Amino acid sequence: MQQPSNWIWSYGIDHNKLKRIDIAINYSMKRCALYDDANVRKFCSEKFDVYGYQSSQEPNNSFSDPRNGHYSKIETISLQSNSSNQSVSLHNIAEMSLFIKERTSKVFLAIHDQGACLVLYSIVVTYNVCPQKTLPDTLVLLPETIAPVNESKIVKVMGKCAPNSKPTAPELGANCGSTGEWVREDDSTGECLCTAGWEKVSSECKGMLLF
């Protein structure tokens, strides 16, 4: 009996010049101690590896196959040794991030199992954006913006006034945070005011009712 070696990998994922993607793997894994057969326990594993490969072009089958050594390990996912649940498979969600290399256009993901009794339920790839939004406090309309990798790389975004409003300062904007939230830099940032005949209702200017 030989050590198992099983791979599963994805198609190429277009990342559209992102700086980082977040990966969530929903899985369950069985404890090796639950097997009675010593031969099974000999090759049993309570971990699996997650790999990634980034390409600047459409790879051929040779390069997209992780068994050919082109992938880099992202993380090893292991069962917690101090878990009190020893009688059933342990269900968990592993979360990690992959930083995108410059001048690449596609990401491939792979999972390598070498003896784990593993069930994969889903692999979800996401990234954060600050959505197109009119800030209710300032009536500044901001465009959808890809969030930065972390808070040390703040993205300052210029906006424009919501319909039927006008600016009070030459520059209108806010910061896009890494979690996808818009944050005003300070109270001195310009704002917009509804024009005559319109009144502010939440994040828009609505026509005033005349009696």
Side-chain angles (χ1 to χ4, degrees):
M1 186 175 182
Q2 296 181 340
Q3 179 78 40
S5 180
N6 302 308
W7 287 90
I8 183 172
W9 61 93
S10 71
Y11 294 106
I13 303 170
D14 295 315
H15 59 66
N16 296 321
K17 298 182 180 180
L18 296 172
K19 300 298 183 183
R20 184 193 77 193
I21 58 174
D22 298 317
I23 306 163
I25 302 175
N26 188 344
Y27 71 96
S28 65
M29 201 183 320
K30 190 175 180 179
R31 288 287 185 193
C32 292
L34 299 178
Y35 293 102
D36 296 328
D37 191 326
N39 289 325
V40 174
R41 290 199 303 272
K42 178 180 178 181
F43 295 106
C44 183
S45 174
E46 295 183 351
K47 63 182 180 180
F48 63 93
D49 296 317
V50 183
Y51 286 82
Y53 168 61
Q54 302 184 43
S55 172
S56 57
Q57 58 187 355
E58 188 70 44
N60 56 37
N61 290 336
S62 175
F63 274 81
S64 62
D65 187 336
R67 295 169 296 185
N68 292 326
H70 302 295
Y71 284 56
S72 299
K73 185 185 293 186
I74 301 173
E75 193 166 325
T76 296
I77 309 302
S78 304
L79 288 182
Q80 296 296 321
S81 60
N82 59 355
S83 173
S84 60
N85 188 351
Q86 301 291 320
S87 59
V88 294
S89 296
L90 301 181
H91 187 191
N92 205 350
I93 296 178
E95 297 179 328
M96 64 205 74
S97 296
L98 176 64
F99 293 93
I100 303 300
K101 298 177 181 178
E102 293 184 1
R103 296 184 294 276
T104 62
S105 58
K106 289 184 181 294
V107 172
F108 292 77
L109 299 176
I111 289 179
H112 188 206
D113 156 41
Q114 292 184 284
C117 182
L118 174 67
V119 178
L120 293 176
Y121 299 105
S122 65
I123 301 174
V124 180
V125 178
T126 59
Y127 62 93
N128 286 335
V129 298
C130 293
Q132 177 177 302
K133 182 179 181 180
T134 299
L135 300 181
D137 293 340
T138 62
L139 291 177
V140 174
L141 174 60
L142 298 160
E144 181 179 288
T145 302
I146 296 174
V149 172
N150 53 54
E151 294 299 343
S152 68
K153 297 182 178 180
I154 295 297
V155 176
K156 187 173 183 179
V157 180
M158 294 295 102
K160 62 182 181 180
C161 284
N164 304 309
S165 67
K166 58 184 179 180
T168 62
E171 286 193 358
L172 305 170
N175 293 333
C176 176
S178 63
T179 60
E181 297 289 334
W182 290 109
V183 181
R184 290 190 67 190
E185 185 174 1
D186 52 53
D187 292 336
S188 65
T189 305
E191 61 180 0
C192 302
L193 298 176
C194 293
T195 54
W198 299 81
E199 62 179 346
K200 182 176 177 295
V201 179
S202 184
S203 58
E204 58 182 325
C205 294
K206 293 190 174 182
M208 299 176 63
L209 296 177
L210 301 177
F211 297 95

